[in-house]
Amino acid sequence: VIRPRRVAAYARVSVPTERLLHSLDEQISYYSDHIQSHPGWEYAGVYADADYTGTKDSRPEFQRLLADCRAGKIDRVLTKSLSRFARNTVTLLEIVREMKALGVAIVFEKENIDTSSGDGELMLSILASFAQAESLSVSENCKWRIRKDFAEGKTMNLALLYGYRSVDGKIEIVPKEAEVVRRAFAAYLSGKGTPTIAAMLRREHAPTRMGGDFRPRHPAVFALGGGSQRACVRRRFVAQHQRAGL
């Protein structure tokens, strides 16, 4: 006996206006009728998000869909388009490849792509090249911004740099935090290691920037090994861009 394919659908609108919410209702009705009227398909539900963009991983219904796929409850997913499913190409490829490894096919109706077909594999290869270009572009833009800020003498974000703060673009010492840093460095010069220093600061109830406890990898403690220097000077950089997630 051939088991029917368990088919689900995913729909999304990013702005919860009355018109788009009506559109979402129409998508849900369309997919419900389409799946239930198709021979050999078993209705596995319609997952729909409103007021979430395709770049966010916090979409609750989308996460529930992935969880059900991973639990083996779904064999096939229908969706309107690539952008409805995920706008970030790297994220899209990661999800599609994970689903394919689980035996779950995804059908993008607008682009006429079925990830279980040979053509789907070809389209994935094309999308992979776009993903590499997108990743490279983001990396180069970040490098350009950092170089530009250094050239203009701008300070970097000091929100997590313990002992300092930025006021009107100028670096100022925070006296209360500076005293903690001095005690930490004094302990280090006396021969104590970072785990011991972190424990000492916890016993003293020394304040952290975010209100937590000091740990060996906290910036104020990690700085003892030179770790914080990268926040003050451009000590090194990666010359060759590395493909991410591909």
Side-chain angles (χ1 to χ4, degrees):
V1 178
I2 299 176
R3 179 176 61 82
R5 288 184 180 180
R6 296 163 297 178
V7 181
Y10 178 72
R12 177 182 65 82
V13 294
S14 56
V15 182
T17 63
E18 183 177 349
R19 179 178 61 84
L20 289 178
L21 287 176
H22 179 68
S23 171
L24 185 62
D25 289 337
E26 288 182 340
Q27 290 181 57
I28 294 172
S29 297
Y30 163 75
Y31 282 121
S32 296
D33 295 340
H34 177 57
I35 294 172
Q36 294 181 71
S37 63
H38 195 288
W41 285 5
E42 178 183 317
Y43 179 67
V46 176
Y47 301 72
D49 283 310
D51 198 20
Y52 289 90
T53 68
T55 57
K56 294 181 179 178
D57 291 334
S58 59
R59 292 175 284 165
E61 284 294 282
F62 186 69
Q63 292 301 320
R64 190 168 70 88
L65 169 66
L66 297 182
D68 286 347
C69 289
R70 291 165 182 148
K73 298 178 180 179
I74 298 171
D75 302 312
R76 192 175 185 85
V77 177
L78 309 180
T79 191
K80 183 178 179 181
S81 66
L82 292 168
S83 63
R84 294 296 89 189
F85 202 69
R87 287 183 180 173
N88 181 287
T89 313
V90 175
T91 301
L92 172 66
L93 283 171
E94 289 175 349
I95 294 171
V96 167
R97 285 172 174 164
E98 180 191 358
M99 293 300 103
K100 187 166 185 178
L102 294 171
V104 179
I106 303 175
V107 178
F108 302 97
E109 295 185 326
K110 181 179 178 181
E111 294 81 6
N112 195 27
I113 297 175
D114 184 340
T115 60
S116 65
S117 69
D119 289 343
E121 278 293 314
L122 174 61
M123 291 306 299
L124 278 180
S125 299
I126 295 174
L127 285 172
S129 66
F130 281 110
Q132 181 182 357
E134 179 183 18
S135 179
L136 176 59
S137 176
V138 170
S139 174
E140 291 303 319
N141 286 340
C142 288
K143 290 177 184 177
W144 175 84
R145 180 182 55 79
I146 292 171
R147 292 190 187 104
K148 184 173 180 292
D149 287 348
F150 273 113
E152 295 178 356
K154 293 181 179 179
T155 58
M156 297 183 67
N157 184 0
L158 302 180
L160 298 179
L161 186 59
Y162 194 81
Y164 299 91
R165 65 187 172 195
S166 178
V167 179
D168 297 327
K170 295 181 179 180
I171 299 176
E172 292 186 358
I173 294 175
V174 180
K176 191 173 184 179
E177 295 179 356
E179 181 56 35
V180 174
V181 174
R182 293 187 186 100
R183 291 205 306 276
F185 270 82
Y188 182 77
L189 291 174
S190 70
K192 293 183 173 64
T194 54
T196 302
I197 295 171
M200 175 191 75
L201 295 177
R202 289 198 299 273
R203 288 195 301 273
E204 295 176 357
H205 302 291
T208 66
R209 176 67 56 85
M210 306 303 291
D213 294 329
F214 278 99
R215 300 294 171 186
R217 299 293 293 182
H218 187 280
V221 179
F222 184 50
L224 300 172
S228 70
Q229 294 179 29
R230 285 190 291 275
C232 301
V233 299
R234 193 174 74 181
R235 190 165 68 178
R236 63 174 179 231
F237 63 92
V238 178
Q240 179 63 39
H241 173 78
Q242 188 174 17
R243 294 169 64 184
L246 299 177

